Amino acid sequence: MLKKKKTESPETTTEINDTIDNESTETTQNTTPAEKSAEDLLKEELSLANDKYLRLYAEFDNFRRRTIKEREDARKMEGREVISDLLPVLDDFERALKATENATEVAPVREGVILIQNKLKNTLSQKGLKPMEAIGQPFDADLHEAITNIPAPSDDLKGKVIDEMEKGYYLNDKVIRFAKVIVGA
């Protein structure tokens, strides 16, 4: 940054003083723009860092919004497959209702309803639904919901499930509905 002029050896003191004055003015002139350029460089660097930060923040905000929207869409459509598999069962129920309008005998209607029930059970079991066996099992608060206690008909049924008011179900080995049961006391 400091430049020295090559001068020929000065002969007099005044020439030496003039040379020193010239060099000092050159250094002050050179350092002032150098300081400003360093300051300008730092300002540029700061503005670039701020710009980079704002862009990164905006990108993260867009990412967050996009993932929230994707999750909402996924939640809306998560039961789509099960519902589309149950539509044929719904169609069978509608056909059964039309058939009952003109039916005179109960036996064929009952058979049709049993067929529809079996179709529904098969469809749900393919999706991972399993019925819970509760009658005769020891009462377990993690699986059963006790409606009431009644005196046990025999001593071996004390503390066990005697009757089932509402069936319980597992979905992929997790309880999705507790069995409502009557327990022997």
Side-chain angles (χ1 to χ4, degrees):
M1 291 201 175
L2 298 176
K3 295 182 181 177
K4 291 187 178 181
K5 288 186 177 179
K6 291 185 180 180
T7 57
E8 299 177 15
S9 333
E11 310 286 330
T12 64
T13 341
T14 53
E15 289 178 4
I16 292 173
N17 286 338
D18 287 339
T19 308
I20 292 172
D21 287 338
N22 286 340
E23 286 179 3
S24 65
T25 53
E26 282 180 12
T27 56
T28 55
Q29 289 173 354
N30 286 340
T31 56
T32 308
E35 287 175 9
K36 286 183 181 177
S37 66
E39 188 177 310
D40 289 342
L41 286 174
L42 290 175
K43 284 182 180 179
E44 280 182 36
E45 209 173 297
L46 179 63
S47 68
L48 287 174
N50 282 340
D51 185 52
K52 195 179 217 182
Y53 168 74
L54 288 175
R55 289 179 188 275
L56 185 64
Y57 182 79
E59 186 177 329
F60 177 74
D61 194 43
N62 290 339
F63 169 76
R64 186 180 53 81
R65 287 182 188 159
R66 187 173 53 249
T67 55
I68 288 171
K69 184 180 179 200
E70 287 172 358
R71 284 181 191 159
E72 287 175 4
D73 292 344
R75 278 189 215 118
K76 287 178 184 176
M77 298 304 287
E78 64 190 9
R80 181 177 182 213
E81 184 181 334
V82 174
I83 290 173
S84 65
D85 288 344
L86 290 177
L87 288 178
V89 176
L90 183 64
D91 294 339
D92 289 345
F93 273 119
E94 289 175 2
R95 284 191 285 272
L97 283 173
K98 283 184 184 177
T100 58
E101 291 173 0
N102 300 329
T104 55
E105 293 184 33
V106 176
V109 173
R110 179 173 164 74
E111 287 178 24
V113 170
I114 290 172
L115 288 172
I116 294 171
Q117 181 188 23
N118 289 336
K119 189 175 186 178
L120 178 62
K121 283 182 179 180
N122 288 336
T123 302
L124 291 174
S125 67
Q126 288 173 355
K127 300 297 175 191
L129 187 74
K130 286 188 268 182
M132 186 183 294
E133 296 298 325
I135 297 177
Q137 301 293 322
F139 176 74
D140 184 1
D142 293 333
L143 302 174
H144 308 122
E145 183 179 334
I147 302 288
T148 187
N149 289 337
I150 61 169
S154 64
D155 286 340
D156 62 327
L157 290 177
K158 285 186 179 180
K160 292 188 178 182
V161 176
I162 294 176
D163 195 14
E164 190 174 46
M165 300 303 290
E166 194 173 86
K167 201 165 201 52
Y169 289 97
Y170 297 105
L171 181 62
N172 298 324
D173 298 327
K174 290 186 180 182
V175 176
I176 61 166
R177 187 170 85 179
F178 298 102
K180 293 184 181 179
V181 297
I182 298 174
V183 181

